[in-house]
Amino acid sequence: MASRLCTPIRLGGAMGLSGKVARPMHLQPSLALYQCIWQQVRSSSNSPMAQGPGNTRKKVTIKSLENLYRKGEPITMMTAHDFPSGYVSEAAGMEMILIGDSLAMTSMGMADTSEITLDEMIMHCRSVSRAASTAFVVGDMPMGSYEVSEEQAVQTAIRLVKEGRVHAVKIEGGQEFAPTIKRIVQAGIPVVAHIGLTPQRQNALGGFRVQGKSTAAAIKVYQDALAIQEAGAFMVVVEAVPAEIAAIITKKLRIATLGIGAGNGCSGQVLVQADMVGNYPPGRFLPKFVKKYGDVWSETLKAIEQYKTEVKSREYPSPEYTYPTTKEVVEEFEKVVSRKD
Ligand code: KIV
């Protein structure tokens, strides 16, 4: 595509691309032209991701998120775990992108989130942040990176911002982590809390169970929500809570709730990207609340199987996928290599 759109020119005359020929400013090729030429000459499979149409909206900030909340417009959040999954979320116009520790399973093949380390989370945050030119980026604080002390939590949050390049951190826990949230907020880092089902505590909760089903359990979720709001969290993820309970809690709060398995009455929604785009083999267990919007697994499988068939049959690479040379060069080369020393 690039070679059809770009006008091939020679830089530096006979000296080629590396030649340093002085030319007046008005004759200097533009950056776009250089990029164009670079695309043409980069005969390698490791080129950077193409710059897509880009997102023309203004950067999403805490203020613009608050505006959406006030207007009652649902806020959209999607998880991402690397540059492409962040890039596609940005292109789709997600207001918020979460590097959730669910990537331990969906991207790293771990059994649960307890195994993922802060360093690993930071690496994923860095990749996603590069793709999110306008979305508001939130990084999860993994298990073991904030429970020991408030100092530990602040240090973790600072690393996620400085090294992971996120705009805010997410922390699982309610009332018991309110003082921790307060300290992180005091350090100038926005916090998204996470209540209801907190997967990092699955062992203590007796598994991945719906929270807030009884009146007492619903009151506990509500108290958690009030405590983290009081501590200064600017938003809260509410996971696996009956829709009616989550809706009532949402009405009672003055910060936005992001539901995941918590019904339509929340201020916004979040889903795990690998789940909702269908990037998993058939038969995998999915929670009830996940709607499968795509079938990335089947599409990818089909493509790779087709590739295998074509390689085996030598159909790929056909001439249009190869680099030409002249007949003379080939003949001369054959003569050279067939000479007996
Ligand atoms: O880790 C994650 O992806 C999350 C979402 C489920 C909210 O915390």
Side-chain angles (χ1 to χ4, degrees):
M1 192 65 180
S3 54
R4 263 187 274 134
L5 287 176
C6 303
T7 319
I9 66 159
R10 287 171 72 103
L11 289 186
M15 295 168 81
L17 270 176
S18 58
K20 290 197 175 59
V21 175
R23 40 171 105 219
M25 272 312 279
H26 70 281
L27 291 179
Q28 297 276 347
S30 68
L31 180 62
L33 197 49
Y34 268 120
Q35 280 168 346
C36 201
I37 293 157
W38 178 238
Q39 280 170 5
Q40 288 181 326
V41 297
R42 192 164 176 152
S43 306
S44 151
S45 59
N46 62 1
S47 63
M49 279 276 179
Q51 293 301 308
N55 214 326
T56 50
R57 72 175 171 195
K58 282 198 198 146
K59 268 188 181 295
V60 179
T61 63
I62 252 193
K63 287 273 160 261
S64 51
L65 292 169
E66 265 170 30
N67 285 341
L68 290 178
Y69 170 62
R70 287 218 183 82
K71 280 194 290 181
E73 182 178 328
I75 297 166
T76 54
M77 182 193 246
M78 176 56 48
T79 74
H81 55 271
D82 60 4
F83 187 88
S85 59
Y87 204 2
V88 75
S89 307
E90 166 77 28
M94 286 291 110
E95 280 118 13
M96 301 180 80
I97 299 180
L98 169 70
I99 303 98
D101 61 0
S102 59
L103 70 84
M105 292 86 78
T106 60
S107 172
M108 299 178 82
M110 295 170 176
D112 58 49
T113 58
S114 64
E115 202 178 326
I116 194 163
T117 66
L118 177 58
D119 285 340
E120 286 165 340
M121 280 302 296
I122 287 172
M123 204 267 282
H124 286 272
C125 287
R126 288 174 77 81
S127 312
V128 173
S129 300
R130 283 185 206 112
S133 50
T134 63
F136 191 89
V137 181
V138 182
D140 236 343
M141 300 189 41
M143 185 193 188
S145 72
Y146 61 92
E147 303 90 331
V148 177
S149 66
E150 289 164 25
E151 284 66 32
Q152 184 207 24
V154 174
Q155 273 162 5
T156 295
I158 289 172
R159 282 196 68 196
L160 281 163
V161 171
K162 282 180 88 76
E163 299 171 46
R165 313 304 297 142
V166 301
H167 304 124
V169 297
K170 179 166 84 58
I171 181 167
E172 287 189 15
Q175 295 174 77
E176 66 286 17
F177 285 99
T180 307
I181 291 172
K182 193 168 178 182
R183 280 294 305 276
I184 300 171
V185 173
Q186 279 168 349
I189 298 172
V191 174
V192 177
H194 183 152
I195 59 171
L197 171 57
T198 46
Q200 290 174 12
R201 284 184 201 98
Q202 45 135 332
N203 295 320
L205 295 173
F208 299 92
R209 311 171 86 89
V210 177
Q211 304 294 302
K213 271 174 98 171
S214 66
T215 310
I219 290 170
K220 159 90 175 77
V221 179
Y222 179 47
Q223 283 169 341
D224 281 341
L226 289 179
I228 58 91
Q229 172 178 267
E230 201 50 40
F234 79 99
M235 205 173 265
V236 56
V237 168
V238 181
E239 180 164 354
V241 168
E244 298 87 341
I245 304 296
I248 295 170
I249 292 175
T250 300
K251 283 209 187 99
K252 288 291 207 180
L253 295 182
R254 51 187 155 70
I255 59 172
T257 57
L258 288 176
I260 174 158
N264 216 354
C266 293
S267 326
Q269 299 293 326
V270 52
L271 276 180
V272 173
Q273 186 171 156
D275 293 350
M276 60 85 70
V277 300
N279 198 1
Y280 51 84
R284 176 184 170 225
F285 170 80
L286 273 188
K288 182 180 180 200
F289 59 78
V290 176
K291 180 168 176 185
K292 195 174 163 194
Y293 286 86
D295 197 355
V296 167
W297 173 275
S298 298
E299 280 299 307
T300 312
L301 187 71
K302 209 166 61 186
I304 298 175
E305 283 174 347
Q306 177 73 12
Y307 165 72
K308 181 183 173 192
T309 306
E310 291 190 12
V311 169
K312 294 280 184 195
S313 67
R314 296 195 188 279
E315 186 181 341
Y316 175 84
S318 44
E320 68 264 40
Y321 299 104
T322 62
Y323 300 110
T325 183
T326 61
K327 214 167 129 227
E328 291 73 31
V329 167
V330 176
E331 282 169 5
E332 201 180 337
F333 176 65
E334 270 187 322
K335 260 191 233 153
V336 170
V337 294
S338 61
R339 253 184 236 141
K340 296 221 168 60
D341 295 321

